[in-house]
Each structure stands twice: as structure tokens, then as C-alpha cells.
Amino acid sequence: MGVADESLHGAVLDKLGALVVAGEYATGQVLRIEQLEARFGVSRTVVREAVRVLASMGLVSSRRRVGVTVSPRASWNLFDPRVIRWRLDNGERESLLRSLGELRLGVEPVAAALAAAHATPEQCGRLTEAVMRMAVHGRAGDLESYLAADILFHRTLLEASGNDMFGGLSTVVAEVLAGRTHHRLMPAFPEPAAIRRHAEVAQAIQSGDAAEARRAMRDIVEEATRAMLGPGG
Amino acid sequence: MGVADESLHGAVLDKLGALVVAGEYATGQVLRIEQLEARFGVSRTVVREAVRVLASMGLVSSRRRVGVTVSPRASWNLFDPRVIRWRLDNGERESLLRSLGELRLGVEPVAAALAAAHATPEQCGRLTEAVMRMAVHGRAGDLESYLAADILFHRTLLEASGNDMFGGLSTVVAEVLAGRTHHRLMPAFPEPAAIRRHAEVAQAIQSGDAAEARRAMRDIVEEATRAMLGPGG
DNA sequence: GCGGCTGATAAATCATACTTTTGATGCCGA
DNA sequence: TCGGCATCAAAAGTATGATTTATCAGCCGC
């Protein structure tokens, strides 16, 4: 799925990151490089590189004469897709999905409105294409292909906003969508209503109707969050 | 300012990252580790660790027998504070600030509204404290202290939203505010009106008025963006 | 009790050797 | 001439020992 399989370093990074995020190591706890070498059965080089990356994500900090210290949550880079995945894989799934839902509620309707102004014909085409695939795979109950189409839709929309930073959120949104599917928070057959709303957004963007695009997009995010977290959410 | 001074590895990371973001190396160009050792006058270990971190930010990818390849922009992690700083330091400042302004416009008003519901008394106190400091240092024309107070305000507000992901954006917002000050996009004496608006937000949050908090916050972001990018922006 | 000295410790850095992957080259047969 | 296959070599990946440096903790003298 990620970098993990490709290299030793990636595997260690993935395991160690997951452990930290899962709270296996308490905040402030110090790990020693040597210890980690033994734990994972790899060389110093590999451990150090993994630790460096974790440090760059704010999960740990490394100081001479002290060791590798687990950092408090506040300093984590919560927008790193790997951090999101590790968190989704671990317990606090529900509260994280709620947070991500609120974030999407702030971002995606605005992005949809901007997309209505900025989307190229080619991007409009891709949106329609994505909706079509969602419909086809949704009816067939092929959740994995449905997911791919859903991700394509949201990624295209965020890119079409013409705003780099919104575009940069596409990996975050993709993690949310993937997490929802892979943790069985999706019904076996996606709601036809959800697909219809996506079509509405695509249509509104194509005809340059910013207000309608915003509204339909808000509906999508609101409904998706509600469906995931239950009626009370 | 950052990690740079602390270690060789940090210095190399900072320089190399800035070069990539500045477009000194074209997308797809390959760098060789050995080359970089010579370029920066450090050992392989140091270069490799810097490259690993850059790879984790999506700026480059490293493959056997090929070298270190500069990745296309689309795969960069635009929410990494260092990437933001590198971009602000380099040419595309204006368009990036516009993008970040739109992002803040999507996020901060929502966060303010949430904060009105969730802020603890202690957080309300810190907001008021921050506004006071802004007023004092603003009158004195001490932009660096004003900046610190401004950052404190926004960070506290985002944290008070009770939403992890909004809290995680505080470093991004901090980079925007710092960039604005350090690139002389601030007037020598901050607008009293801006400070007043911050006071309004703090007040609205304290009294639990979500709608008013949202409105005042939107004013802050809109006006700040307008002031930075000129009347046309 | 406080401030500075000192030694021990663990990360940081450097240098080097070995391994593995993979792009490139060139050969051979169809 | 072209396409597939074996071989080679380049460059990253991995491992490890040696050396440097920062920092903590304890000691000493005032």
C-alpha cells in the first residue's frame, strides 16, 4: 500500500510510526537507537533514517546524549497522509473521522465553488467520467472500484479549484475515503442518492454555478459524515 | 529559525529543499548522492538522511541504479510547514499567499464557530491575553512581538475548536503570519481595526456566540488577505 | 547553596565495505 | 532488421567500526 514493502527503511518507518501513533510508547518516553536496532533486527543506518523521517513528521525528536524522545501530539504533523492512516488504523478512528469530516465541510464546498469558476473542460470531463464509474461499480457492489472512482472525483474537484492548497488536501481526503471503505464503514451497496449528489456537483461545476456546486458539495460531505458516524453524529 | 542550525543534516535538508522548491532542479532531473556529498561537503550518511526526509515530503524519490529524482509538484506535501516556508521564500510568494488566504477563509471561520462552543475558560483567557499583547506591541511598532501574539491568538483559537485537524493547521497559519511579517507585507504599525476585530472574535467566543465569532473571523482573514495582496486581491 | 569543572554517555558524523536491484549493453537467433 | 535474453556495471541500499561532539550528572570548591 505505501512505502513499506519497498525497503527495509520503509518497513521500519511504518511499524515504528504506527506504534508511536497507537500510543505504545508514551509521550516523553525515550527510545535508544541501539534498542530499536535490536527490536527490528536492522542496522543503525536503517533505524536512523526511519527516525529522521519520524522526526520530520514531528512524532519524535532526537537529541544527543538523550535518545529519541516521543513528542506530544501537539507537535505532530497531522496532515501527513501516513499519520492519518496510522491514526485511522488505531482506536481513535471515530473521533478522527469526525474531525476530518468537519475539515472537509470547511474546505470542499469552498473548493467546489472555486471549481465552478476555474475548472477546465478536461477537468469537467474527468468529473463526469468519475461519476459514471461510481454509478457502474456502485450498482455492481464493487466497493474497491467505487472507492477509486470516488477518490478520482474528489481529487479532480480539489485540483480544479485552482488552489494549490486545496489540491494538496486530495491525499487527505483520499485517506478518509479509503479508511471508510477499508474499515467497513460503507454499506455493501453505496446509496444511489450519494451518487446523484456527485452528479449534481459535476453538473453545477460544468455550468459554472458556484452556489449550487457549494450546496451540493456540502450535502455530500454532511451526508457522508452522518452515514459513517451514525445518526447521532 | 528552523532545524537548520542544529545539525549538519538539518542544514543540508534546508538548503536542498529550498533548491528543489525554487525550481533550481527541474522536475525529473536526477541527482546523485555522491554529487550531493561533494556539493555540500558532508558524508554520505548526512546526505542520505536529508534525501530521505525530502522523499517523505514528496519532493524527490530515490531509486536504485537511477538516483534521486525531483518529483512533480503534484506529489509534494504542501502542508508541511517547511515546504510552505520554502515556497514563501521563493518567487511564487503572491500566488501562494492567495491560496493560503482562501484556505484560511474556509477553515478559520468554521474553527471560530466551533471554538465558541468548545473553548475552555483557560483558552478564552489566552485569547484575551493574546489580543492585549497585540495591542501593546502594535502601538509600540514592535512587529516581531506583535507577530508572536498574533500567532498565539490563531493557534489558541484553532486548538480551541476542539478539532485536531484544525489544530494541526496552526503551524500553517503561523507560517503565513510569519511570512507576511518577514517579507515586509505588513505596515510598520498594524491597523488598529485589525486588532479590534481580534478582540471581537475573542469576545464572541467567550460569550459562546458562534455566528458572531464566525463573522468576525471571516472579516479578519478577508481583510488580512486583501491588505497583503493589494486592493485588487 | 550556587556556579563552574569533569567524566561518562549516546547521538551525530564520517569512512568504508558489502549487497541488491535494475538500467544498459550487446549478443544471438529468427 | 528486429526482438528477446543473458550479462555487466552503476548507484542506491545496508551494515559496521571509528571518531567527534553535545549534554547530563555528579563532584568540587567557594
Side-chain angles (χ1 to χ4, degrees), chain A residues 6-82:
Chain A
E6 319 262 337
S7 63
L8 265 183
H9 145 269
V12 171
L13 171 60
D14 204 41
K15 283 183 210 157
L16 191 50
L19 285 173
V20 171
V21 169
E24 293 285 319
Y25 300 119
T27 298
Q29 181 170 350
V30 299
L31 316 170
R32 259 168 271 114
I33 296 275
E34 200 178 357
Q35 190 183 103
L36 295 171
E37 286 175 47
R39 172 90 134 99
F40 296 105
V42 296
S43 74
R44 245 190 3 268
T45 313
V46 171
V47 171
R48 285 183 52 79
E49 287 177 8
V51 166
R52 275 270 183 269
V53 174
L54 288 177
S56 93
M57 298 194 283
L59 296 199
V60 303
S61 66
S62 179
R63 281 175 53 223
R64 268 185 159 123
R65 162 67 191 169
V66 176
V68 177
T69 312
V70 178
S71 300
R73 219 162 226 277
S75 67
W76 295 1
N77 182 356
L78 301 182
F79 282 79
D80 189 303
R82 279 161 305 191

Side-chain angles (χ1 to χ4, degrees), chain B residues 179-197:
Chain B
R180 178 178 67 166
T181 296
H182 295 145
H183 292 109
R184 324 215 164 271
L185 297 164
M186 276 285 286
F189 289 84
E191 296 276 351
I195 299 171
R196 197 174 333 115
R197 280 195 208 92

Side-chain angles (χ1 to χ4, degrees), chain B residues 100-144:
Chain B
L100 287 166
E102 286 172 359
L103 175 69
R104 290 181 63 195
L105 212 48
V107 167
E108 291 200 85
V110 177
L114 287 170
H118 296 135
T120 66
E122 197 255 330
Q123 287 167 327
C124 290
R126 232 177 322 151
L127 284 177
T128 312
E129 168 76 17
V131 173
M132 265 177 37
R133 287 193 204 164
M134 288 174 71
V136 170
H137 299 306
R139 261 197 299 278
D142 178 352
L143 286 185
E144 211 53 48

Side-chain angles (χ1 to χ4, degrees), chain A residues 183-196:
Chain A
H183 292 112
R184 326 216 162 269
L185 296 164
M186 277 284 286
F189 289 84
E191 296 276 352
I195 298 171
R196 197 175 330 116

